[in-house]
Amino acid sequence: MAEIMELNEEEFDEKGVKYLGKINVEKMKCSVVARARLIAELKIWAIRATTLVLVWACALQLAALSQTWRPRVVQHWSSAASIPPTRLYMSNGYLMVSSNGGLNQMRAGICDMVAIARYMNVTLIVPELDKTSFWNDQSQFNDIFDMDYFISSLRDEVRIQKELPPILKRVVEEGTFYSMPPVSWSNMSYYLNTVLPRIEEYELLHLTKTDARLANNGLPTEVQKLRCRVNYNALRFTPAIEKLGRKIVEILRQKGPFLVLHLRYEMDMLAFSGCNEGCNATEVDELTKMRYAYPWWKEKVINSSKKRKAGLCPMTPEETALTLRALDIDKNIQIYIAAGDIYGGKRRLASLAEAFPNLVKKETLVQPSELLPFQNHSSQMAALDYIVSIESDIFVPTIGGNMAKVVEGHRRFLGFKKTLLLDRKLLVNLIDKYNTRKLNWEKFSLLVKEAHASHWGTPIKRIVIPGKPKLEDYFWSNPQECLPPTKELSPM
């Protein structure tokens, strides 16, 4: 610009215009180069972005294909807030299941059905609960369990839906769907080779029973761990049940340690088992009539004395009191009775109450109005007892029923919490000898302690009896594949 100012006025227009024109051309050249460089860089970024999208899409497809048939190692989602990512897979159809039995029988069966659905890559419809059993409980799944959490917490394993698609729902309403009871104690090959082809043929399959449908042993570790994950994480009770259950536990904790006694001495148990030890003639007649009144209970003529000697009867309240005393259980400990109405009422509980005066039940710990929403729903009331049972300092079942076994396994999972497993066959023999003065108290107590020294829920190997699954240890009482590793595991 200084050079321009030094030019004569006559020369300014001609030379100035020429000079400025040169500057404008140089600017235009720079602008074109910069624009070309920007376009090139944008093309490079576009290519990179497209490549990343393609790689990501391919990875998702490969992940979905790789998971189509192969069970994988299951992670445990311990945090209630953790929602795992959705597992991508092509569903082979829909599986409906009708759970049978009481709360814990249904609970174990539901866990098995989730594992089965996952293995077959099918969509599971939220299980239907038993409404035709002896207890006649009309509770739906979401009356007992947190259904939304059940679905979301397992979404990385199996697709679970609340109901069928409209077309299949109409098929169910018309009654034209395929239904069958699965074979008991089956392994995964049965479901893969027998059940899955029916699902692929009909698109929808209904399994009419869920109890004991999976084997205890011989299953892939991933399947066993998934069964545990469903039971100990996904099957969470409803907020209302959890809240009241935790309140009962807190009331007990405020007063010190407590023992939960699963005293299975209700009328139905005695009637159907045929056990009437300590009952009078009128009660024996009443129990017998009840057994005959139910046609689905096949065994009618039962020798109570013989069955008791074999250790197949629930311990009576009197026998239980003697056993706990012999084991030196503190007489002042709170004993929470997890059961329904004890047959014979206060008369049959008298000896137990005398030996352990701090007997309590949920009905004595909270207000009637707090229990009102759960009354007339045996499964919901049992859920409250379940919560208290797994939280107790000691758990003592008087017979090895479904609740006893499932709670035992849950307490093992929580760190091998004390669970007294009674040797009923040995105990009734010792008790009879003590009552007939063939044993004094000191000897009786010593023998009871020695017999139960290793019966407190400590780590043991699950007993396997090939070909006889009913006689071997139940998976749910000792899910050893899911338990913390221990140095030594020996048979009980």
Side-chain angles (χ1 to χ4, degrees), residues 170-425:
R170 284 196 293 272
V171 171
V172 172
E173 291 171 354
E174 294 168 0
T176 57
F177 60 97
Y178 190 90
S179 184
M180 63 178 282
V183 176
S184 300
W185 311 111
S186 297
N187 57 28
M188 284 302 176
S189 63
Y190 165 76
Y191 288 95
L192 183 62
N193 299 325
T194 302
V195 177
L196 181 57
R198 288 185 171 92
I199 297 177
E200 292 175 327
E201 180 180 359
Y202 297 99
E203 189 178 5
L204 168 65
L205 178 67
H206 174 228
L207 297 182
T208 58
K209 293 180 181 295
T210 62
D211 65 316
R213 301 299 127 174
L214 266 185
N216 295 312
N217 306 291
L219 299 178
T221 302
E222 291 83 1
V223 172
Q224 302 288 53
K225 288 187 175 181
L226 178 54
R227 296 168 84 182
C228 293
R229 176 178 164 187
V230 181
N231 194 24
Y232 307 133
N233 177 260
L235 275 183
R236 191 168 63 182
F237 293 122
T238 64
I241 292 175
E242 287 281 346
K243 182 179 179 181
L244 186 57
R246 300 298 169 190
K247 179 176 180 178
I248 294 172
V249 171
E250 183 60 29
I251 292 171
L252 290 164
R253 282 266 175 260
Q254 290 173 355
K255 297 180 180 179
F258 67 96
L259 177 153
V260 166
L261 179 63
H262 185 43
L263 190 62
R264 279 297 265 129
Y265 208 75
E266 302 98 335
M267 185 177 182
D268 64 290
M269 168 55 75
L270 301 181
F272 298 142
S273 66
C275 299
N276 51 41
E277 178 71 16
C279 296
N280 57 41
T282 302
E283 290 171 334
V284 171
D285 183 59
E286 182 181 35
L287 295 172
T288 304
K289 286 180 179 178
M290 183 179 187
R291 184 164 67 251
Y292 275 86
Y294 288 86
W296 51 264
W297 190 258
K298 297 178 181 179
E299 191 176 10
K300 301 298 183 184
V301 181
I302 302 174
N303 186 320
S304 175
S305 178
K306 185 177 179 180
K307 196 167 185 178
R308 175 177 174 270
K309 287 288 186 181
L312 300 176
C313 286
M315 301 283 287
T316 68
E318 297 87 356
E319 292 168 343
T320 304
L322 281 174
T323 301
L324 296 179
R325 283 180 55 209
L327 290 167
D328 290 338
I329 300 296
D330 185 354
K331 69 176 183 178
N332 294 314
I333 195 171
Q334 299 173 94
I335 293 186
Y336 176 95
I337 298 179
D341 294 330
I342 302 303
Y343 191 62
K346 291 183 178 180
R347 177 179 63 83
R348 294 307 301 271
L349 283 173
S351 59
L352 183 62
E354 182 180 358
F356 299 93
N358 292 325
L359 289 183
V360 296
K361 296 182 69 175
K362 52 185 171 291
E363 290 82 358
T364 65
L365 294 174
V366 297
Q367 296 297 321
S369 59
E370 295 178 275
L371 287 173
L372 187 60
F374 313 108
Q375 286 180 342
N376 300 320
H377 297 287
S378 59
S379 292
Q380 295 181 47
M381 295 289 271
L384 294 171
D385 284 341
Y386 187 95
I387 292 172
V388 182
S389 296
I390 63 171
E391 293 292 336
S392 63
D393 296 286
I394 305 173
F395 176 67
V396 184
T398 58
I399 194 169
N402 288 294
M403 178 167 175
K405 292 175 180 177
V406 176
V407 169
E408 176 192 346
H410 202 154
R411 289 173 66 82
R412 288 180 184 276
F413 182 80
L414 293 174
F416 301 102
K417 302 176 75 172
K418 282 187 177 181
T419 302
L420 177 58
L421 307 172
L422 300 176
D423 186 337
R424 293 184 301 279
K425 184 176 181 179

Side-chain angles (χ1 to χ4, degrees), residues 87-133:
R87 174 173 168 247
L88 301 175
Y89 66 97
M90 184 67 71
S91 176
N92 290 316
Y94 292 85
L95 179 64
M96 285 173 55
V97 297
S98 293
S99 301
N100 59 304
L103 173 66
N104 292 284
Q105 189 173 337
M106 292 191 294
R107 183 186 182 105
I110 290 168
C111 297
D112 290 354
M113 289 298 125
V114 170
I116 290 166
R118 194 261 183 249
Y119 189 82
M120 296 191 300
N121 282 322
V122 298
T123 300
L124 177 67
I125 303 304
V126 171
E128 177 188 24
L129 302 189
D130 193 343
K131 299 176 180 61
T132 60
S133 64

